[in-house]
Amino acid sequence: MVRLARWLLELARRLLAIESTTGEEAAVADFLCRYLRDCGWDVEEIPVEANRWNLFARRSDPRLIFSTHLDTVPPFVAVSEDDTFLFGRGACDAKGIAAAQIVAAEELRATGVETVALLFV
């Protein structure tokens, strides 16, 4: 459990450190695309408009899709934390959620479940 909590917090910190206010999500989408490919996911970039795209990551035909958005409302708030909480724009909505979904999907994969996908919009 401690390993999962550390992994989740580290991924959430990394996501929160990237500015992604609405219309400016390219950097966080690029990061997640690389991160997921490095973890062995097949990642499709789905164009939305100039400099904006959704990410669909899978390993096989999915039966379950975890999905959330990547954009945040302005202004950007840098990541910080205390002994109890992680702070930053998107900590609760939705970068923390994205990190939790990735960790959950990876844990399912570790148990042999390959029919999970991730959709980030």
Side-chain angles (χ1 to χ4, degrees):
M1 244 357 203
V2 172
R3 178 188 64 83
L4 289 178
R6 286 186 182 140
W7 180 14
L8 175 58
L9 285 171
E10 180 54 32
L11 181 54
R13 283 183 195 106
R14 292 175 74 184
L15 290 170
L16 289 167
I18 303 169
E19 182 172 358
S20 64
T21 54
T22 302
E24 302 296 326
E25 308 94 339
V28 75
D30 281 341
F31 168 81
L32 271 182
C33 189
R34 286 188 312 274
Y35 184 90
L36 293 169
R37 284 182 175 147
D38 287 348
C39 289
W41 293 85
D42 294 322
V43 182
E44 179 183 354
E45 298 173 58
I46 305 165
V48 175
E49 59 186 40
N51 210 33
R52 296 181 86 191
W53 55 92
N54 297 330
L55 299 176
F56 183 63
R58 64 190 180 119
R59 291 194 173 90
S60 65
D61 291 331
R63 295 187 64 197
L64 171 67
I65 301 173
F66 290 128
S67 181
T68 192
H69 62 94
L70 296 175
D71 63 320
T72 60
V73 296
F76 175 71
V77 176
V79 64
S80 64
E81 59 189 286
D82 62 20
D83 291 338
T84 307
F85 297 103
L86 185 63
F87 302 96
R89 186 68 75 206
C92 295
D93 181 24
K95 293 177 180 180
I97 294 166
Q101 290 175 343
I102 292 167
V103 170
E106 284 292 306
E107 281 300 293
L108 285 168
R109 175 182 166 218
T111 66
V113 177
E114 295 281 337
T115 55
V116 176
L118 300 159
L119 176 63
F120 298 111
V121 299

